[in-house]
Amino acid sequence: MLTREENNNLTRVGRGTPAGEMLRRYWQPVAAAGELSADKPIKAVHLLGEKLVVYRDTKGDYGLVGERCPHRSASLAYGRVDAEGIRCPYHGWKFDAAGRCLQQPAEPPDGGFKDKIKHTAYPVQKLGGLLFGYLGPQPAPVLPRWDVLAWENGRRWIEVQEPLRCNWLQPMENSVDPSHLYWLHGETAHLLPNVAHYEEDHEFIPFDSGIYKRRITPGKNPGEPPAIDQHPLLFPNTLRHVFRAKDKMLRHNLQMRVPIDDAHTQVFVIFFEPNDKDRTPADADVPWSYFPIRDEQGRYRLEHVLVQDAMAWETQGAITDRSEERLGAGDEGIILFRKVLREQIEAVRQGRDPLGVFRHADNNRVMEFDVINERIGVFPRAQKVA
Ligand code: FES
Ligand SMILES: [Fe+2]
């Protein structure tokens, strides 16, 4: 249980809020690179309570700037791009990716007015087919080359989910909540007949990028070995997961839960399937698709595991009231995660880097995570990128 004030401190994402300042120390995905094309080079992006647009100019470079034009607030989401930047649709003011105003067609050319304009602008990087933006103080940390983003020997693709109508912390608490598997996903995972007497064991192991969640489930029959699942929570807002799909291929994935504002979250799921025939450079655009949570009647598509989760998170409330919860022994991981969150928020308040922020890492080093499931063996590692 948390007080209302503690709940606010851990959940709110706006600039100047405790969690909002902490979240701004990390690169956050804003779009699949493939969402921007010559036909549709601009996407409105609402991130951490800020209204922005991400665009690709005609040279192929990216920018992430404020959505509202500093002239008289029209939306740059309906603007035009050229080789230098983005132009407002209303009176044609033009901006570059650093926020400089390059042109004001209705102003005298030598008046110097444009030099007084500084538009909101943030750096953008591309990795694993995603565009990342960084909204925190300079200098920006390195963008971590997590395995699913940087592996090259296989196939990568992205699902951009229908935005969740809830705060980002609800999906993240789920990442350290092993026991929900048996109920929420029990039918899909064929576990329900055993849930009345399941005796699983959990371990939560903090490490330099987050918390490993390990679930140890005893065998159903005498002599049967336990099943072990191990999925790291990559601090602060990503789950590193893996499963074996119906076609028997491994689906390594990252589930990145990006705060739109206090009550909405954009989930990007990035999949990587190691195989012998495909090669996907880490800097390549990759296929992407939109994943709806609801059907045309507005009902949850509960046949999908990720929608079962989304249903649980949204029905907890837009920002769940943690002053009313009753935590038990099965919520050990949630208690640990909140402790880590508080510590990292405090580190940022004191001017230190929080967990998982790296400044001197070798940019080419791929960060691989141990994800084990003994039902199907220790996962073969994809080949490292030089
Ligand atoms: S509102 Fe953008 S140029 Fe006038
Ligand atoms: Fe789940």
Side-chain angles (χ1 to χ4, degrees):
M1 191 174 113
L2 299 181
T3 65
R4 294 245 157 82
E5 187 189 355
E6 286 170 332
N7 200 27
N8 286 344
N9 288 346
L10 297 190
T11 53
R12 300 306 200 266
V13 302
R15 192 171 284 282
T17 62
E21 288 303 306
M22 181 274 296
L23 288 160
R24 278 170 174 73
R25 266 54 179 184
Y26 300 86
W27 289 89
Q28 298 285 353
V30 295
E35 288 184 80
L36 302 184
S37 61
D39 289 354
K40 280 184 65 183
I42 305 171
K43 180 191 176 189
V45 167
H46 296 172
L47 172 61
L48 296 169
E50 301 189 28
K51 295 195 165 184
L52 308 171
V53 297
V54 63
Y55 67 88
R56 190 176 77 176
D57 69 23
T58 55
K59 292 201 312 292
D61 295 330
Y62 297 98
L64 179 64
V65 299
E67 178 177 355
R68 288 160 66 104
C69 177
H71 177 217
R72 282 166 47 207
S73 301
S75 171
L76 297 187
Y78 300 94
R80 300 181 181 89
V81 299
D82 63 19
E84 293 180 320
I86 186 167
R87 194 186 281 280
C88 176
Y90 202 1
H91 313 95
W93 286 22
K94 183 161 95 172
F95 308 94
D96 71 8
R100 282 184 294 255
C101 184
L102 304 179
Q103 279 182 15
Q104 297 166 313
E107 300 301 315
D110 50 1
F113 181 27
K114 70 178 170 49
D115 300 330
K116 299 195 178 98
I117 307 295
K118 175 76 180 86
H119 191 36
T120 302
Y122 298 115
V124 183
Q125 286 194 45
K126 182 162 82 166
L127 178 66
L130 279 177
L131 300 177
F132 291 82
Y134 174 77
L135 274 56
Q138 292 294 330
V142 295
L143 173 59
R145 294 174 67 84
W146 291 338
D147 45 16
V148 171
L149 299 172
W151 278 336
E152 301 200 332
N153 60 325
R155 189 165 69 94
R156 183 166 25 247
W157 68 99
I158 295 170
E159 281 179 6
V160 180
Q161 285 196 359
E162 176 187 336
L164 288 170
R165 300 171 189 174
C166 69
N167 179 261
W168 71 283
L169 192 54
Q170 283 148 236
M172 288 319 298
E173 289 186 334
N174 173 276
S175 298
V176 278
D177 178 6
S179 65
H180 84 274
L181 168 72
Y182 302 92
W183 288 101
L184 187 62
H185 309 308
E187 280 161 5
T188 318
H190 307 295
L191 294 167
L192 271 182
N194 295 310
V195 292
H197 55 268
Y198 78 81
E199 288 175 31
E200 62 158 41
D201 205 3
H202 310 131
E203 283 180 313
F204 299 95
I205 305 156
F207 73 115
D208 66 356
S209 290
I211 302 170
Y212 271 105
K213 171 198 70 185
R214 183 178 293 163
R215 179 199 293 117
I216 305 153
T217 311
K220 290 186 191 131
N221 303 306
E224 195 179 321
I228 300 177
D229 296 283
Q230 174 163 295
H231 300 140
L233 182 163
L234 302 179
F235 196 86
N237 59 323
T238 295
L239 173 67
R240 168 72 166 87
H241 186 262
V242 69
F243 64 98
R244 196 179 283 281
K246 288 197 185 96
D247 62 7
K248 305 286 182 235
M249 299 300 284
L250 289 175
R251 298 274 192 276
H252 292 271
N253 62 86
L254 293 171
Q255 299 175 28
M256 310 185 82
R257 288 80 174 249
V258 184
I260 294 172
D261 57 27
D262 289 337
H264 297 87
T265 303
Q266 176 65 64
V267 181
F268 296 93
V269 188
I270 302 89
F271 293 93
F272 188 82
E273 174 197 286
N275 67 41
D276 295 332
K277 62 181 194 301
D278 296 305
R279 182 167 169 78
T280 310
D283 61 356
D285 292 10
V286 303
W288 72 278
S289 59
Y290 182 71
F291 181 86
I293 292 171
R294 278 163 267 264
D295 64 17
E296 276 146 23
Q297 280 76 45
R299 293 173 302 216
Y300 289 112
R301 301 194 303 141
L302 287 171
E303 65 276 22
H304 298 276
V305 168
L306 292 179
V307 177
Q308 295 162 6
D309 286 312
M311 177 278 290
W313 308 333
E314 288 190 353
T315 58
Q316 286 179 291
I319 306 173
T320 196
D321 183 353
R322 294 176 175 80
S323 71
E324 293 192 342
E325 67 189 5
R326 305 290 298 275
L327 299 187
D331 300 307
E332 178 192 350
I334 284 142
I335 293 164
L336 172 65
F337 179 46
R338 290 180 191 171
K339 175 171 171 287
V340 174
L341 263 177
R342 281 189 209 97
E343 289 167 354
Q344 303 315 308
I345 286 171
E346 180 59 18
V348 169
R349 203 186 62 76
Q350 293 178 8
R352 290 184 282 119
D353 279 339
L355 191 64
V357 166
F358 301 106
R359 298 203 172 268
H360 305 294
D362 171 356
N363 266 312
N364 281 326
R365 189 171 70 86
V366 179
M367 296 176 66
E368 297 189 316
F369 302 102
D370 294 324
V371 282
I372 308 167
N373 181 333
E374 290 201 344
R375 278 175 275 215
I376 56 176
V378 174
F379 295 140
R381 284 202 163 164
Q383 193 185 322
K384 286 193 183 188
V385 181

